[in-house]
Amino acid sequence: MSDVVLYEKQGRVVTITLNKPETRNALSTDLCEALVTAMKKADDDEGVSCVVLAANGKSFSSGGNLHEIKAMTAEQNMSPLQIEQWYKTGIQRIPLTMADISVPVIAAVNGHAIGAGNDLATMCDIRIASEDAIFAESFLRVGLIPGDGGAWLLPRVIGQARANQMLFTGEFIDAQKALNYGLVSEVIANDALLERAYELADQVVALPPSAIRKTKELVRTAQSVTLKENLDEAALFQGVLQQLDDHREAIDAILEKRKPVFKGQ
């Protein structure tokens, strides 16, 4: 794993850490590639039930790397078609990967989450923020649009009206406003952010592993199917889950008033 993204597994929890604090974790080509690789690695590991996405330094992510973006036209003279392919083979692989994986992801947002950094947070299933967190859809400030799915993601998280306000004004919002918007679910003291993220992760991984991933799949597909289709998928998943030892163990533990022991079977 590249050192621009750190990967650490403890029990059933994986921590993936953006590790380019000198650029405020700007989503440069190398970081995008490493993040996609790390997410796929966690998802492919049946021993993982939750990912915590964190960042080293003072910012979660400052968004796209402006030096890299400027160089496309100022130095490399890239054509519109070449730029289009750069997005498709680069940063757009992150939202597509995040939409494809079945392991839940908790974003621990510290400091700035700007532009693509804000969008990266919205790709996660649970978002908590430190008190000093700042969010913005700042693309128009540099004459661009969200090239990484922000126009699709943000309205689904905070609603169309608030998303439009962030998108069309480029305003910076603090952690408390992000909480009011529903962009994050909790605001935590700066020095307790990761501790709280791991508390949430521990709550997730205490539940049956197969059911955790099927729940995420059901929630994800619900965004693009009818109620009937979602119910059909739920019935299919239940038919599988109710045959597993973990389901029987969960029922027995409740009836016997003891802590369950899940084996992922």
Side-chain angles (χ1 to χ4, degrees):
M1 191 64 60
S2 169
D3 61 3
V4 300
V5 169
L6 306 179
Y7 188 101
E8 181 183 4
K9 181 180 177 182
Q10 291 287 336
R12 301 191 68 87
V13 178
V14 161
T15 303
I16 295 174
T17 306
L18 308 182
N19 190 41
K20 292 190 76 172
E22 69 277 9
T23 66
R24 297 192 299 153
N25 298 308
L27 296 176
S28 52
T29 299
D30 59 342
L31 194 148
C32 291
E33 179 67 30
L35 179 57
V36 167
T37 299
M39 285 295 177
K40 288 182 176 179
K41 178 180 178 180
D43 193 55
D44 289 342
D45 187 345
E46 293 183 357
V48 175
S49 288
C50 190
V51 169
V52 172
L53 178 61
N56 282 334
K58 296 181 179 181
S59 294
F60 180 72
S61 175
S62 59
N65 187 301
L66 295 183
H67 295 290
E68 197 171 72
I69 292 170
K70 181 179 179 180
M72 290 182 193
T73 51
E75 298 172 15
Q76 300 171 37
N77 295 314
M78 291 173 66
S79 69
L81 181 59
Q82 288 174 318
I83 293 173
E84 177 185 349
Q85 289 304 309
W86 182 88
Y87 277 91
K88 289 182 175 180
T89 59
I91 196 169
Q92 288 186 355
R93 293 181 60 210
I94 298 176
L96 291 174
T97 297
M98 297 290 277
D100 188 55
I101 62 177
S102 61
V103 62
V105 181
I106 299 171
V109 181
N110 62 300
H112 285 76
I114 306 300
N118 183 78
D119 295 340
L120 177 60
T122 66
M123 297 172 204
C124 300
D125 303 291
I126 298 173
R127 295 168 297 278
I128 62 173
S130 61
E131 292 176 331
D132 67 352
I134 300 291
F135 300 84
E137 283 289 295
S138 56
F139 297 95
L140 283 176
R141 290 175 177 264
V142 291
L144 295 175
I145 60 169
D148 60 342
W152 190 92
L153 290 157
L154 191 62
R156 285 167 167 78
V157 173
I158 65 173
Q160 193 69 58
R162 285 170 169 169
N164 285 348
Q165 184 168 323
M166 290 186 68
L167 285 160
F168 292 128
T169 67
E171 68 176 343
F172 288 73
I173 65 172
D174 61 20
Q176 189 58 51
K177 193 167 188 177
L179 179 64
N180 293 340
Y181 274 14
L183 184 53
V184 300
S185 57
E186 297 182 17
V187 175
I188 310 298
N190 297 344
D191 59 358
L193 179 64
L194 276 179
E195 179 183 353
R196 178 55 181 157
Y198 289 128
E199 286 177 356
L200 290 169
D202 286 343
Q203 291 178 43
V204 172
V205 302
L207 299 170
S210 295
I212 292 169
R213 291 193 179 224
K214 290 300 184 188
T215 298
K216 173 161 178 173
E217 289 184 39
L218 194 66
V219 170
R220 180 180 64 222
T221 58
Q223 297 185 59
S224 58
V225 301
T226 66
L227 173 60
K228 178 62 166 59
E229 289 168 330
N230 192 246
L231 289 171
D232 287 344
E233 186 174 42
L236 176 65
F237 288 171
Q238 294 290 56
V240 174
L241 293 171
Q242 287 186 218
Q243 302 300 317
L244 298 182
D245 290 343
D246 279 350
H247 164 65
R248 289 185 279 271
E249 168 64 9
I251 297 294
D252 290 344
I254 291 172
L255 295 176
E256 297 167 12
K257 295 181 171 59
R258 61 174 174 81
K259 184 176 181 180
V261 179
F262 299 122
K263 299 179 180 179
Q265 301 174 348

mmCIF file of all heavy atoms in Angstrom, residues 176-208:
data_model
loop_
_atom_site.group_PDB
_atom_site.id
_atom_site.type_symbol
_atom_site.label_atom_id
_atom_site.label_comp_id
_atom_site.label_asym_id
_atom_site.label_seq_id
_atom_site.Cartn_x
_atom_site.Cartn_y
_atom_site.Cartn_z
ATOM 1 N N GLN A 176 -21.109 23.028 12.903
ATOM 2 C CA GLN A 176 -22.451 23.099 13.460
ATOM 3 C C GLN A 176 -23.497 23.243 12.356
ATOM 4 O O GLN A 176 -24.552 22.606 12.403
ATOM 5 C CB GLN A 176 -22.560 24.275 14.444
ATOM 6 C CG GLN A 176 -23.871 24.292 15.226
ATOM 7 C CD GLN A 176 -24.096 23.006 16.021
ATOM 8 O OE1 GLN A 176 -23.227 22.571 16.771
ATOM 9 N NE2 GLN A 176 -25.263 22.399 15.866
ATOM 10 N N LYS A 177 -23.190 24.044 11.345
ATOM 11 C CA LYS A 177 -24.123 24.190 10.233
ATOM 12 C C LYS A 177 -24.202 22.894 9.443
ATOM 13 O O LYS A 177 -25.288 22.497 8.969
ATOM 14 C CB LYS A 177 -23.709 25.348 9.329
ATOM 15 C CG LYS A 177 -24.792 25.749 8.330
ATOM 16 C CD LYS A 177 -24.462 27.087 7.671
ATOM 17 C CE LYS A 177 -25.623 27.582 6.822
ATOM 18 N NZ LYS A 177 -25.337 28.919 6.227
ATOM 19 N N ALA A 178 -23.068 22.217 9.297
ATOM 20 C CA ALA A 178 -23.066 20.909 8.624
ATOM 21 C C ALA A 178 -23.944 19.916 9.374
ATOM 22 O O ALA A 178 -24.644 19.108 8.762
ATOM 23 C CB ALA A 178 -21.644 20.383 8.509
ATOM 24 N N LEU A 179 -23.928 19.998 10.694
ATOM 25 C CA LEU A 179 -24.792 19.138 11.507
ATOM 26 C C LEU A 179 -26.257 19.492 11.281
ATOM 27 O O LEU A 179 -27.106 18.604 11.103
ATOM 28 C CB LEU A 179 -24.425 19.290 12.986
ATOM 29 C CG LEU A 179 -25.240 18.472 13.983
ATOM 30 C CD1 LEU A 179 -25.038 16.972 13.764
ATOM 31 C CD2 LEU A 179 -24.852 18.850 15.423
ATOM 32 N N ASN A 180 -26.564 20.775 11.273
ATOM 33 C CA ASN A 180 -27.941 21.215 11.035
ATOM 34 C C ASN A 180 -28.432 20.795 9.643
ATOM 35 O O ASN A 180 -29.612 20.471 9.467
ATOM 36 C CB ASN A 180 -28.041 22.735 11.182
ATOM 37 C CG ASN A 180 -27.798 23.199 12.606
ATOM 38 O OD1 ASN A 180 -27.905 22.419 13.554
ATOM 39 N ND2 ASN A 180 -27.435 24.464 12.770
ATOM 40 N N TYR A 181 -27.545 20.814 8.675
ATOM 41 C CA TYR A 181 -27.880 20.425 7.309
ATOM 42 C C TYR A 181 -28.075 18.907 7.162
ATOM 43 O O TYR A 181 -28.673 18.458 6.191
ATOM 44 C CB TYR A 181 -26.776 20.861 6.345
ATOM 45 C CG TYR A 181 -26.882 22.270 5.833
ATOM 46 C CD1 TYR A 181 -27.734 23.213 6.413
ATOM 47 C CD2 TYR A 181 -26.109 22.687 4.754
ATOM 48 C CE1 TYR A 181 -27.819 24.509 5.929
ATOM 49 C CE2 TYR A 181 -26.187 23.978 4.263
ATOM 50 C CZ TYR A 181 -27.043 24.890 4.856
ATOM 51 O OH TYR A 181 -27.113 26.171 4.366
ATOM 52 N N GLY A 182 -27.517 18.146 8.109
ATOM 53 C CA GLY A 182 -27.531 16.696 7.959
ATOM 54 C C GLY A 182 -26.350 16.174 7.164
ATOM 55 O O GLY A 182 -26.310 15.012 6.779
ATOM 56 N N LEU A 183 -25.381 17.045 6.914
ATOM 57 C CA LEU A 183 -24.173 16.624 6.214
ATOM 58 C C LEU A 183 -23.341 15.699 7.084
ATOM 59 O O LEU A 183 -22.665 14.783 6.589
ATOM 60 C CB LEU A 183 -23.362 17.860 5.800
ATOM 61 C CG LEU A 183 -22.100 17.648 4.973
ATOM 62 C CD1 LEU A 183 -22.373 16.813 3.725
ATOM 63 C CD2 LEU A 183 -21.498 19.000 4.588
ATOM 64 N N VAL A 184 -23.372 15.948 8.396
ATOM 65 C CA VAL A 184 -22.746 15.050 9.369
ATOM 66 C C VAL A 184 -23.780 14.691 10.428
ATOM 67 O O VAL A 184 -24.768 15.404 10.609
ATOM 68 C CB VAL A 184 -21.496 15.681 10.028
ATOM 69 C CG1 VAL A 184 -20.447 16.009 8.983
ATOM 70 C CG2 VAL A 184 -21.851 16.914 10.840
ATOM 71 N N SER A 185 -23.538 13.597 11.136
ATOM 72 C CA SER A 185 -24.484 13.169 12.166
ATOM 73 C C SER A 185 -24.060 13.573 13.566
ATOM 74 O O SER A 185 -24.888 13.624 14.484
ATOM 75 C CB SER A 185 -24.672 11.646 12.120
ATOM 76 O OG SER A 185 -23.433 10.976 12.269
ATOM 77 N N GLU A 186 -22.768 13.879 13.745
ATOM 78 C CA GLU A 186 -22.266 14.283 15.063
ATOM 79 C C GLU A 186 -21.114 15.262 14.890
ATOM 80 O O GLU A 186 -20.359 15.179 13.911
ATOM 81 C CB GLU A 186 -21.767 13.078 15.878
ATOM 82 C CG GLU A 186 -22.828 12.052 16.226
ATOM 83 C CD GLU A 186 -22.278 10.918 17.081
ATOM 84 O OE1 GLU A 186 -21.185 11.088 17.663
ATOM 85 O OE2 GLU A 186 -22.930 9.861 17.159
ATOM 86 N N VAL A 187 -20.970 16.171 15.855
ATOM 87 C CA VAL A 187 -19.804 17.044 15.940
ATOM 88 C C VAL A 187 -19.089 16.716 17.238
ATOM 89 O O VAL A 187 -19.700 16.719 18.313
ATOM 90 C CB VAL A 187 -20.190 18.537 15.898
ATOM 91 C CG1 VAL A 187 -18.972 19.416 16.119
ATOM 92 C CG2 VAL A 187 -20.856 18.870 14.565
ATOM 93 N N ILE A 188 -17.797 16.443 17.130
ATOM 94 C CA ILE A 188 -17.015 15.914 18.239
ATOM 95 C C ILE A 188 -15.847 16.860 18.537
ATOM 96 O O ILE A 188 -15.316 17.508 17.630
ATOM 97 C CB ILE A 188 -16.450 14.518 17.893
ATOM 98 C CG1 ILE A 188 -17.562 13.605 17.346
ATOM 99 C CG2 ILE A 188 -15.777 13.875 19.093
ATOM 100 C CD1 ILE A 188 -18.682 13.316 18.300
ATOM 101 N N ALA A 189 -15.454 16.933 19.793
ATOM 102 C CA ALA A 189 -14.264 17.697 20.150
ATOM 103 C C ALA A 189 -13.076 17.228 19.301
ATOM 104 O O ALA A 189 -12.942 16.041 18.999
ATOM 105 C CB ALA A 189 -13.943 17.524 21.636
ATOM 106 N N ASN A 190 -12.230 18.170 18.911
ATOM 107 C CA ASN A 190 -11.137 17.860 17.983
ATOM 108 C C ASN A 190 -10.304 16.673 18.423
ATOM 109 O O ASN A 190 -9.954 15.809 17.613
ATOM 110 C CB ASN A 190 -10.236 19.082 17.818
ATOM 111 C CG ASN A 190 -10.956 20.261 17.197
ATOM 112 O OD1 ASN A 190 -12.032 20.113 16.621
ATOM 113 N ND2 ASN A 190 -10.377 21.437 17.318
ATOM 114 N N ASP A 191 -9.979 16.623 19.710
ATOM 115 C CA ASP A 191 -9.081 15.569 20.183
ATOM 116 C C ASP A 191 -9.785 14.246 20.448
ATOM 117 O O ASP A 191 -9.143 13.266 20.841
ATOM 118 C CB ASP A 191 -8.336 16.028 21.441
ATOM 119 C CG ASP A 191 -9.274 16.393 22.586
ATOM 120 O OD1 ASP A 191 -10.514 16.323 22.394
ATOM 121 O OD2 ASP A 191 -8.778 16.751 23.666
ATOM 122 N N ALA A 192 -11.090 14.193 20.230
ATOM 123 C CA ALA A 192 -11.847 12.963 20.485
ATOM 124 C C ALA A 192 -12.466 12.389 19.209
ATOM 125 O O ALA A 192 -13.232 11.423 19.277
ATOM 126 C CB ALA A 192 -12.938 13.220 21.522
ATOM 127 N N LEU A 193 -12.133 12.967 18.049
ATOM 128 C CA LEU A 193 -12.791 12.577 16.803
ATOM 129 C C LEU A 193 -12.561 11.109 16.469
ATOM 130 O O LEU A 193 -13.514 10.357 16.229
ATOM 131 C CB LEU A 193 -12.291 13.454 15.654
ATOM 132 C CG LEU A 193 -12.893 13.143 14.271
ATOM 133 C CD1 LEU A 193 -14.392 13.400 14.255
ATOM 134 C CD2 LEU A 193 -12.183 13.962 13.189
ATOM 135 N N LEU A 194 -11.315 10.685 16.445
ATOM 136 C CA LEU A 194 -11.032 9.300 16.093
ATOM 137 C C LEU A 194 -11.563 8.331 17.138
ATOM 138 O O LEU A 194 -12.052 7.247 16.802
ATOM 139 C CB LEU A 194 -9.534 9.096 15.891
ATOM 140 C CG LEU A 194 -8.998 9.459 14.507
ATOM 141 C CD1 LEU A 194 -7.494 9.243 14.438
ATOM 142 C CD2 LEU A 194 -9.686 8.647 13.420
ATOM 143 N N GLU A 195 -11.478 8.722 18.387
ATOM 144 C CA GLU A 195 -12.020 7.868 19.449
ATOM 145 C C GLU A 195 -13.499 7.597 19.212
ATOM 146 O O GLU A 195 -13.969 6.457 19.333
ATOM 147 C CB GLU A 195 -11.816 8.536 20.814
ATOM 148 C CG GLU A 195 -12.374 7.734 21.979
ATOM 149 C CD GLU A 195 -12.231 8.455 23.304
ATOM 150 O OE1 GLU A 195 -11.570 9.516 23.334
ATOM 151 O OE2 GLU A 195 -12.779 7.964 24.309
ATOM 152 N N ARG A 196 -14.247 8.630 18.841
ATOM 153 C CA ARG A 196 -15.676 8.453 18.581
ATOM 154 C C ARG A 196 -15.904 7.625 17.320
ATOM 155 O O ARG A 196 -16.825 6.790 17.274
ATOM 156 C CB ARG A 196 -16.348 9.820 18.446
ATOM 157 C CG ARG A 196 -17.830 9.756 18.123
ATOM 158 C CD ARG A 196 -18.606 8.918 19.121
ATOM 159 N NE ARG A 196 -20.020 8.849 18.782
ATOM 160 C CZ ARG A 196 -20.834 7.872 19.185
ATOM 161 N NH1 ARG A 196 -20.366 6.862 19.927
ATOM 162 N NH2 ARG A 196 -22.105 7.884 18.850
ATOM 163 N N ALA A 197 -15.062 7.822 16.308
ATOM 164 C CA ALA A 197 -15.192 7.029 15.085
ATOM 165 C C ALA A 197 -15.022 5.547 15.385
ATOM 166 O O ALA A 197 -15.767 4.699 14.874
ATOM 167 C CB ALA A 197 -14.168 7.482 14.049
ATOM 168 N N TYR A 198 -14.066 5.231 16.255
ATOM 169 C CA TYR A 198 -13.847 3.823 16.600
ATOM 170 C C TYR A 198 -14.960 3.281 17.489
ATOM 171 O O TYR A 198 -15.295 2.094 17.412
ATOM 172 C CB TYR A 198 -12.483 3.648 17.269
ATOM 173 C CG TYR A 198 -11.330 3.824 16.311
ATOM 174 C CD1 TYR A 198 -10.288 4.698 16.588
ATOM 175 C CD2 TYR A 198 -11.292 3.123 15.111
ATOM 176 C CE1 TYR A 198 -9.243 4.874 15.701
ATOM 177 C CE2 TYR A 198 -10.244 3.289 14.215
ATOM 178 C CZ TYR A 198 -9.229 4.161 14.519
ATOM 179 O OH TYR A 198 -8.198 4.328 13.634
ATOM 180 N N GLU A 199 -15.553 4.126 18.312
ATOM 181 C CA GLU A 199 -16.708 3.689 19.094
ATOM 182 C C GLU A 199 -17.845 3.267 18.162
ATOM 183 O O GLU A 199 -18.492 2.228 18.371
ATOM 184 C CB GLU A 199 -17.185 4.811 20.024
ATOM 185 C CG GLU A 199 -16.293 5.065 21.221
ATOM 186 C CD GLU A 199 -16.772 6.234 22.058
ATOM 187 O OE1 GLU A 199 -17.764 6.888 21.660
ATOM 188 O OE2 GLU A 199 -16.158 6.497 23.110
ATOM 189 N N LEU A 200 -18.092 4.090 17.141
ATOM 190 C CA LEU A 200 -19.129 3.758 16.168
ATOM 191 C C LEU A 200 -18.768 2.494 15.392
ATOM 192 O O LEU A 200 -19.625 1.629 15.157
ATOM 193 C CB LEU A 200 -19.340 4.924 15.200
ATOM 194 C CG LEU A 200 -20.000 6.174 15.784
ATOM 195 C CD1 LEU A 200 -19.905 7.334 14.798
ATOM 196 C CD2 LEU A 200 -21.463 5.909 16.141
ATOM 197 N N ALA A 201 -17.504 2.397 14.990
ATOM 198 C CA ALA A 201 -17.058 1.210 14.252
ATOM 199 C C ALA A 201 -17.231 -0.051 15.101
ATOM 200 O O ALA A 201 -17.663 -1.093 14.593
ATOM 201 C CB ALA A 201 -15.598 1.368 13.827
ATOM 202 N N ASP A 202 -16.929 0.045 16.388
ATOM 203 C CA ASP A 202 -17.084 -1.105 17.271
ATOM 204 C C ASP A 202 -18.548 -1.524 17.382
ATOM 205 O O ASP A 202 -18.860 -2.718 17.488
ATOM 206 C CB ASP A 202 -16.524 -0.789 18.660
ATOM 207 C CG ASP A 202 -14.998 -0.766 18.685
ATOM 208 O OD1 ASP A 202 -14.382 -1.298 17.743
ATOM 209 O OD2 ASP A 202 -14.433 -0.189 19.640
ATOM 210 N N GLN A 203 -19.449 -0.543 17.357
ATOM 211 C CA GLN A 203 -20.878 -0.864 17.384
ATOM 212 C C GLN A 203 -21.296 -1.596 16.107
ATOM 213 O O GLN A 203 -22.130 -2.511 16.143
ATOM 214 C CB GLN A 203 -21.710 0.401 17.555
ATOM 215 C CG GLN A 203 -21.567 1.057 18.929
ATOM 216 C CD GLN A 203 -22.382 2.334 19.033
ATOM 217 O OE1 GLN A 203 -23.525 2.392 18.596
ATOM 218 N NE2 GLN A 203 -21.786 3.374 19.609
ATOM 219 N N VAL A 204 -20.706 -1.181 14.994
ATOM 220 C CA VAL A 204 -21.023 -1.839 13.722
ATOM 221 C C VAL A 204 -20.517 -3.273 13.725
ATOM 222 O O VAL A 204 -21.271 -4.220 13.432
ATOM 223 C CB VAL A 204 -20.414 -1.065 12.534
ATOM 224 C CG1 VAL A 204 -20.581 -1.849 11.229
ATOM 225 C CG2 VAL A 204 -21.046 0.308 12.407
ATOM 226 N N VAL A 205 -19.249 -3.458 14.074
ATOM 227 C CA VAL A 205 -18.643 -4.788 13.945
ATOM 228 C C VAL A 205 -19.121 -5.757 15.020
ATOM 229 O O VAL A 205 -18.840 -6.950 14.938
ATOM 230 C CB VAL A 205 -17.102 -4.708 13.947
ATOM 231 C CG1 VAL A 205 -16.612 -3.812 12.827
ATOM 232 C CG2 VAL A 205 -16.564 -4.238 15.299
ATOM 233 N N ALA A 206 -19.856 -5.264 16.009
ATOM 234 C CA ALA A 206 -20.435 -6.155 17.013
ATOM 235 C C ALA A 206 -21.639 -6.920 16.464
ATOM 236 O O ALA A 206 -22.147 -7.828 17.106
ATOM 237 C CB ALA A 206 -20.858 -5.359 18.252
ATOM 238 N N LEU A 207 -22.072 -6.568 15.258
ATOM 239 C CA LEU A 207 -23.251 -7.172 14.643
ATOM 240 C C LEU A 207 -22.827 -8.213 13.605
ATOM 241 O O LEU A 207 -21.659 -8.269 13.201
ATOM 242 C CB LEU A 207 -24.103 -6.075 14.020
ATOM 243 C CG LEU A 207 -24.608 -5.028 15.035
ATOM 244 C CD1 LEU A 207 -25.224 -3.840 14.320
ATOM 245 C CD2 LEU A 207 -25.598 -5.658 16.000
ATOM 246 N N PRO A 208 -23.737 -9.078 13.152
ATOM 247 C CA PRO A 208 -23.374 -10.167 12.231
ATOM 248 C C PRO A 208 -22.763 -9.650 10.927
ATOM 249 O O PRO A 208 -23.387 -8.836 10.228
ATOM 250 C CB PRO A 208 -24.708 -10.880 11.978
ATOM 251 C CG PRO A 208 -25.545 -10.568 13.173
ATOM 252 C CD PRO A 208 -25.152 -9.175 13.572
#
